[in-house]
Amino acid sequence: QVQLVESGGGSVEAGGSLRLSCAASTYIDSFCVGWFRQAPGKEREAVATIRSGVPNVADSVKGRFTISKPYAQKTLYLNMSSLAPEDSAIYYCAAARLPCREPWSYWGQGTQVTVSS
């Protein structure tokens, strides 16, 4: 089992920045890892993922969000800048063992991000 704990969410004004962190209970270098979000009334969507070391960022956040996972650390980060109200959601950290079939196996409890206009 892998436990994931997110932190860093909060309330910011539009144009602001936040950094989300996800602490894993084990080393996750060989896992697929990523950030997902779900806004009220909407389906959960992938924001940014790292699969086999390759990062992928959703078009809606490209150029504003960056995912990172320092090697040999148990923490995953999501740096968010130029935040907009439509970025408001609960953000979840997730991980999966290779070959990373969906749905992924391990999820955090989520952290709320609220962006005011």
Side-chain angles (χ1 to χ4, degrees):
Q1 284 290 340
V2 179
Q3 282 77 48
L4 302 170
V5 179
E6 302 97 335
S7 61
S11 297
V12 295
E13 293 185 351
S17 301
L18 281 174
R19 188 192 201 197
L20 303 184
S21 299
C22 172
S25 60
T26 188
Y27 289 103
I28 50 175
D29 293 328
S30 62
F31 286 68
C32 295
V33 292
W35 291 95
F36 298 74
R37 68 185 181 185
Q38 187 166 21
K42 294 188 177 181
E43 293 188 356
R44 185 173 64 196
E45 62 174 344
V47 176
T49 60
I50 300 177
R51 299 172 186 257
S52 299
V54 180
N56 186 54
V57 179
D59 288 343
S60 60
V61 302
K62 197 164 290 183
R64 300 188 297 122
F65 290 13
T66 303
I67 186 172
S68 62
K69 186 183 66 61
Y71 182 73
Q73 292 189 20
K74 299 179 182 179
T75 309
L76 178 70
Y77 300 99
L78 183 68
N79 285 292
M80 306 185 294
S81 62
S82 300
L83 283 161
E86 53 265 35
D87 294 317
S88 297
I90 299 175
Y91 283 70
Y92 298 92
C93 171
R97 299 181 189 274
L98 294 173
C100 306
R101 294 190 181 94
E102 295 183 3
W104 287 11
S105 300
Y106 308 108
W107 293 83
Q109 81 289 351
T111 186
Q112 178 71 50
V113 172
T114 302
V115 185
S116 58
S117 58

